[in-house]
Amino acid sequence: MQATVRSFDEATRSGTVFLDDGTVLEFGVPAFDAGPLRLLRTGQRVNLAMSGGAITYITLSTFPVPGA
């Protein structure tokens, strides 16, 4: 699934994304730390992995999501 970064806090390594339908979802430290990223910027396109309605993995749209 793809989304756009709405916000990212470097101190907490968590943030929010907009899905393509405008839905806002939060992601926490576990989802961010699962990927290879060091930071995100507002407006960046990202790929997500989800489980049970929660984001479990987030990375740039140019990087593959494990298991996809």
Side-chain angles (χ1 to χ4, degrees):
M1 169 180 300
Q2 290 194 335
T4 303
V5 176
R6 178 178 179 247
S7 66
F8 178 70
D9 183 332
E10 285 185 61
T12 64
R13 296 187 329 275
S14 61
T16 58
V17 295
F18 286 116
L19 298 182
D20 290 343
D21 68 1
T23 302
V24 175
L25 295 178
E26 295 181 359
F27 64 90
V29 174
F32 185 74
D33 286 350
L37 305 179
R38 296 189 333 181
L39 66 102
L40 289 168
R41 291 188 306 264
T42 301
Q44 280 184 305
R45 289 293 287 173
V46 290
N47 283 335
L48 310 173
M50 298 189 62
S51 178
I55 298 172
T56 58
Y57 186 92
I58 186 166
T59 192
L60 297 180
S61 63
T62 55
F63 295 157
V65 173

